[in-house]
Amino acid sequence: MDQQSPYISIILMLLMFAIITPMVIGMWKIFKKAGYSGWLCLVPFYNLIVFLKIVGKPRWWALCILSNLLASAYGIAVSKTDAIYYGSSFLLTILVWVFGIWACNMLSKSFGKEEAFTAGIVILPLIFIPILGFGSAKYLGPYGNQELFREYNAADKFDFENDVLA
């Protein structure tokens, strides 16, 4: 039996730490700029709810995202192999990707950035999340325009919550 050198594991851990740290610190700064405590970005699942509030999206999006995780865990736990499971899991995954890209777009707009910055967040989050956190961008409110957001919110549109700005 070949044994892996312990040095490879240490190097991989240090590499992962070097990749994750700027992302976490960048999200910490983003949360602070949006008026929330930075440490909330470290709390699993609740950070998703706070993130959705920052970008002006409803909490039920978190349920969609978490349902994909639960469906995957269920499929692994019971070794599901039928077409219905794979089809529904595939559709949930597509939904999560769409919601994720949409939320990244709303994050960049909430800080006054354009769609090109959204593409950067989606493709190279390791670079663009810290730029947003450490840069000079200021939080302008959900969608980057609180008045427009309040108008949509007052009209009771489908994808907004009543308590996002409360």
Side-chain angles (χ1 to χ4, degrees):
M1 227 179 168
D2 252 350
Q3 290 211 348
Q4 185 178 357
S5 169
Y7 299 113
I8 293 175
S9 298
I10 292 170
I11 290 169
L12 287 176
M13 272 186 6
L14 291 174
L15 182 64
M16 297 245 330
F17 185 75
I19 290 171
I20 291 171
T21 301
M23 293 277 296
V24 169
I25 295 172
M27 285 305 290
W28 186 297
K29 295 283 217 174
I30 288 170
F31 275 46
K32 293 283 282 183
K33 284 182 177 184
Y36 293 92
S37 295
W39 63 268
L40 290 175
C41 75
L42 301 174
V43 181
F45 305 116
Y46 186 63
N47 60 2
L48 178 61
I49 292 170
V50 173
F51 178 77
L52 291 173
K53 278 188 166 192
I54 290 171
V55 301
K57 291 298 176 191
R59 282 185 230 150
W60 63 264
W61 277 32
L63 291 175
C64 292
I65 293 167
L66 294 177
S67 68
N68 189 25
L69 293 173
L70 293 174
S72 297
Y74 171 75
I76 291 169
V78 298
S79 300
K80 277 292 207 183
T81 58
D82 59 348
I84 294 172
Y85 168 75
Y86 283 123
S88 61
S89 182
F90 176 75
L91 290 176
L92 275 173
T93 302
I94 297 298
L95 181 72
V96 167
W97 275 94
V98 168
F99 280 4
I101 292 170
W102 193 352
C104 287
N105 186 37
M106 293 301 103
L107 178 66
S108 64
K109 287 188 182 293
S110 296
F111 284 88
K113 303 292 185 183
E114 297 296 322
E115 284 77 12
F117 200 85
T118 299
I121 291 175
V122 171
I123 296 168
L124 295 170
L126 177 64
I127 295 169
F128 283 86
I129 294 292
I131 286 174
L132 200 56
F134 289 105
S136 62
K138 300 217 182 317
Y139 182 66
L140 306 174
Y143 284 56
N145 184 338
Q146 286 194 357
E147 293 304 316
L148 179 63
F149 181 75
R150 284 190 180 112
E151 285 177 26
Y152 282 129
N153 203 19
D156 202 23
K157 296 283 183 178
F158 178 67
D159 69 346
F160 294 100
E161 281 185 339
N162 291 328
D163 65 342
V164 172
L165 293 176

